[in-house]
């Protein structure tokens, strides 16, 4: 079972930046696709950014041009760089892994999840 541990959340003012990190216990066939999701109180979990083993990427329209997903295989870490943050970005952010080969924003395609890290933008 792949284990994912997120960090890097916090409280920032609108317009600020944060970089989330997700340490992956191991890269296997279960981590072909990696994604970042978020869930605000009373809302459904939504895909924010993902990349696939085929180098494809997907971003939610609401974060395009502001967020960047990246991966450092040497450190077994996936990052989410978040710039120009807005109050509506406030949510719990989760890292997840999937056996899908392509980038995917459907949470049902992901089987391993981290515990989440809170991002609050005021």
């Amino acid at each position: 079972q792949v284990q994912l541990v997120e960090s890097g959340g916090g409280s920032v003012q609108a317009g600020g930046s944060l970089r989330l990190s997700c340490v992956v216990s191991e890269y296997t066939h279960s981590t072909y696709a990696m994604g970042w999701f978020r869930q605000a109180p009373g809302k459904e979990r939504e895909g924010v950014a993902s990349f696939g083993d085929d180098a494809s990427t997907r971003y939610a329209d609401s974060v395009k041009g502001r967020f960047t997903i990246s991966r450092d295989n040497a450190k077994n870490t996936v990052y989410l760089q978040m710039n120009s943050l807005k109050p509506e970005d406030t949510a719990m952010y989760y890292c997840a892994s999937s056996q899908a080969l392509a980038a995917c924003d459907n949470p049902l395609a992901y089987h391993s999840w981290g515990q989440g890290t809170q991002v609050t933008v005021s």
Side-chain angles (χ1 to χ4, degrees):
Q1 180 76 13
V2 173
Q3 294 185 356
L4 309 172
V5 180
E6 304 98 332
S7 63
S11 297
V12 295
Q13 292 187 339
S17 298
L18 284 173
R19 187 177 77 160
L20 306 184
S21 300
C22 172
V23 177
V24 184
S25 60
E26 60 178 336
Y27 283 130
T28 69
H29 66 282
S30 298
T31 55
Y32 286 149
M34 299 294 300
W36 284 97
F37 294 79
R38 66 186 181 188
Q39 188 167 19
K43 294 187 177 181
E44 294 185 354
R45 189 168 296 190
E46 64 170 341
V48 175
S50 61
F51 63 70
D53 198 53
D54 61 357
S56 59
T57 57
R58 291 178 67 95
Y59 292 92
D61 289 341
S62 59
V63 307
K64 283 181 181 177
R66 300 188 298 122
F67 290 12
T68 303
I69 188 171
S70 62
R71 181 175 189 166
D72 185 336
N73 288 339
K75 295 183 178 180
N76 275 19
T77 303
V78 178
Y79 301 100
L80 183 68
Q81 178 66 45
M82 306 186 296
N83 299 327
S84 302
L85 283 163
K86 304 176 181 180
E88 51 263 45
D89 294 319
T90 295
M92 184 71 79
Y93 283 71
Y94 299 91
C95 175
S97 68
S98 169
Q99 295 183 17
L101 294 179
C104 178
D105 58 7
N106 184 348
L108 296 178
Y110 291 78
H111 51 78
S112 295
W113 294 81
Q115 81 290 350
T117 186
Q118 178 68 38
V119 172
T120 302
V121 185
S122 59

